[in-house]
Amino acid sequence: MTHLLDVRNLVTRFYTEDGTVHAVNGISYTLDKGESLAIVGESGSGKTVGVLSLMGMIPDPPGRIEHGEVIYDGRDLMRLSDAEMRNVRGGEIAMIFQDPMTSLNPVLSVEYQLVEMMRPHMELNKAQAIERTIELLDLVGIPNASSRRKDFPHQFSGGQRQRVMIAMSLACNPSVLIADEPTTALDVTIQAQIIDLVNRLKTKLGMAIIWITHDLGVVAGLVDKMIVMYAGFIVETGPVFDLYKRTSHPYTLGLLESMPSVNSTVASDRLTPIEGAPPDLLQGASHCPFAPRCRFVVDRCWQENPPLQKVSSDQYSACWRWEDVRDARDL
């Protein structure tokens, strides 16, 4: 089967004065047309670096993509020239960033920024580009789009700025939309609105979506499948329902146990944190990177870093004791 996006053994390093940061360590996954994928993990787990790598947006120096293939629509993006990658970015694969205030230019109008983004990718004259700008702002729910197109970023609320960023990402009708924690800087009410907007746009426009988040609660009803990352590795992957109900990695289990539950009826119920701290990425992994924080750890975990192994038809886990983890989830 040919996939829309096929990431194969991607490795990214950062070379600093303190040493080599092992940011992404051989990750592989696929994405099909119209499919939605969540990449989940703590800060520093490699989620954002992984997608910036496939977009060709790692600053060199200090970063470097050491190995891997990113096959998109039959082409290896790692082999494209800078000019060819500029055509892919925005035109075929678009990205919504975390903080819209730092992503939008504060001294340029929203119209100017949208028009300038469209021109390299679409054969539009200025009048057509302005018409497309109004259409996009209306699509993402900006009221009075025709008049507000000339406003500057500071004249919009935080939620509206994020809607503008979504409009920019949709401007050239991309096949893949990457949403890098787009609700992090917003309050919970606006978060829900943005999530609902992206979900509706996915259905309406038929895009494939990669949703990056540290919050498992955000993606429960939003995506088809999920990847869990830790210390630059994929530690579990599979259909989203299976990872919630039949968890097979202790890190995923820890993330789920640290989530508040709306079904809790006992006032004394407490969230269960994951003890310890994430590993130092300056050290290469000679053992399971989660071993120092894992309550299922055994001697073998300190001797070998477990590979992803098949635990059900579509689910994979990098854990020697995945069956015990699944039994613990069922309790």
Side-chain angles (χ1 to χ4, degrees):
M1 178 182 177
T2 301
H3 303 284
L4 176 63
L5 181 68
D6 189 352
V7 179
R8 304 174 184 172
N9 198 25
L10 187 62
V11 176
T12 302
R13 302 280 184 263
F14 289 90
Y15 296 92
T16 71
E17 292 181 355
D18 295 326
T20 302
V21 178
H22 298 73
V24 173
N25 301 304
I27 64 173
S28 301
Y29 59 89
T30 62
L31 185 70
D32 295 325
K33 291 181 179 180
E35 191 175 40
S36 53
L37 165 71
I39 303 178
V40 178
E42 294 171 281
S43 296
S45 62
K47 309 184 302 297
T48 298
V49 173
V51 295
L52 290 178
S53 297
L54 70 88
M55 294 276 283
M57 295 174 66
I58 296 297
D60 182 5
R64 189 185 306 159
I65 301 170
E66 295 286 6
H67 185 74
E69 297 175 299
V70 178
I71 309 300
Y72 168 75
D73 201 22
R75 295 166 291 168
D76 185 357
L77 300 186
M78 298 293 98
R79 297 182 179 273
L80 299 186
S81 66
D82 290 342
E84 290 171 323
M85 274 305 299
R86 282 194 294 271
N87 289 329
V88 171
R89 286 193 297 264
E92 300 179 64
I93 303 176
M95 193 164 180
I96 310 169
F97 294 94
Q98 286 187 31
D99 186 356
M101 201 57 200
T102 57
S103 301
L104 293 168
N105 191 319
V107 299
L108 299 175
S109 70
V110 164
E111 175 187 278
Y112 183 91
Q113 294 183 62
L114 272 161
V115 168
E116 287 303 301
M117 180 179 179
M118 284 185 273
R119 281 188 164 180
H121 303 287
M122 305 175 75
E123 295 181 359
L124 301 176
N125 59 37
K126 186 173 182 180
Q128 291 171 326
I130 292 173
E131 182 179 350
R132 174 69 172 158
T133 294
I134 297 170
E135 175 188 328
L136 287 165
L137 293 176
D138 185 63
L139 178 67
V140 298
I142 298 294
N144 304 315
S146 181
S147 59
R148 298 218 62 192
R149 62 188 169 88
K150 293 184 177 295
D151 287 351
F152 292 82
H154 72 272
Q155 294 174 280
F156 293 87
S157 68
Q160 288 176 331
R161 285 195 294 267
Q162 195 58 280
R163 288 172 186 266
V164 171
M165 285 298 300
I166 294 171
M168 292 182 71
S169 69
L170 300 176
C172 303
N173 301 313
S175 299
V176 179
L177 177 64
I178 300 172
D180 184 8
E181 304 212 46
T183 62
T184 296
L186 307 175
D187 65 56
V188 290
T189 304
I190 306 301
Q191 281 184 22
Q193 293 176 5
I194 296 299
I195 292 168
D196 180 64
L197 172 64
V198 173
N199 210 14
R200 285 189 287 108
L201 290 172
K202 171 190 176 295
T203 302
K204 182 176 181 178
L205 304 177
M207 299 176 299
I209 290 183
I210 299 176
W211 191 285
I212 301 170
T213 184
H214 63 275
D215 186 353
L216 270 72
V218 165
V219 297
L222 187 65
V223 300
D224 303 311
K225 60 184 183 181
M226 187 161 69
I227 288 170
V228 181
M229 289 192 67
Y230 186 79
F233 293 93
I234 294 177
V235 296
E236 188 168 14
T237 181
V240 66
F241 179 82
D242 290 350
L243 265 69
Y244 275 82
K245 296 297 184 183
R246 308 183 72 229
T247 308
S248 300
H249 194 279
Y251 179 59
T252 313
L253 180 62
L255 292 176
L256 290 168
E257 289 179 342
S258 65
M259 288 172 53
S261 173
V262 296
N263 297 320
S264 178
T265 57
V266 182
S268 61
D269 279 355
R270 292 179 178 270
L271 301 182
T272 304
I274 302 175
E275 299 293 339
D280 181 1
L281 296 183
L282 292 173
Q283 306 296 323
S286 59
H287 54 74
C288 174
F290 192 63
R293 308 173 71 185
C294 182
R295 66 180 187 261
F296 296 90
V297 66
V298 293
D299 288 345
R300 189 180 184 186
C301 304
W302 295 106
Q303 298 163 2
E304 300 176 75
N305 187 6
L308 280 171
Q309 55 185 313
K310 193 171 186 177
V311 299
S312 65
S313 59
D314 297 313
Q315 188 176 357
Y316 295 79
S317 174
C319 180
W320 301 123
R321 297 187 62 193
W322 65 266
E323 292 171 306
D324 296 325
V325 177
R326 181 170 288 183
D327 289 344
R329 179 61 174 166
D330 292 336
L331 295 177

